[in-house]
Each structure stands twice: as structure tokens, then as C-alpha cells.
Amino acid sequence: MKKLSYIMLLCLLGTVLFSCTPESQVNAANEVACCGEDGHIPPPPPPPPNTGD
């Protein structure tokens, strides 16, 4: 019976330590934005011209 209580305690402790928090999910949404607030992403630069070697 003592072993069962230790196993349950370890499972509970592992769940508490490795569970995600709502703060990390909220902050991740703020970090997604790039290149300004409007969401406009400029096109990539054109390829270099072919020299015909």
C-alpha cells in the first residue's frame, strides 16, 4: 500500500511540473507577428540576372 501512495505522489508531482501554463500560450500569440502591425509581408527580392556563362 505504501508503494502505491508513492507512485501516485510521483505521478501527481510529474503532472504538476510538466503541465503547461496559460501564460505561455498567451505570450506565444504575441510573438507571431512580424514586419509591423498590419501583417503585410514584403515580397522577396528578384533573382540576380543570368550572365550567360
Side-chain angles (χ1 to χ4, degrees), residues 1 4 6 13 17 23 25-26 29 31 34 39 46 52-53:
M1 189 68 176
L4 181 62
Y6 284 136
L13 183 64
L17 287 176
E23 292 176 4
Q25 294 174 356
V26 170
E31 295 174 2
C34 79
D53 288 341

Side-chain angles (χ1 to χ4, degrees), residues 1-8:
M1 189 68 176
K2 214 175 201 183
K3 288 182 181 181
L4 181 62
S5 61
Y6 284 136
I7 291 172
M8 290 177 63

Side-chain angles (χ1 to χ4, degrees), residues 28-50:
N30 293 339
E31 295 174 2
V32 173
C34 79
C35 305
E37 294 293 324
D38 59 353
H40 174 70
I41 300 174
N50 191 359

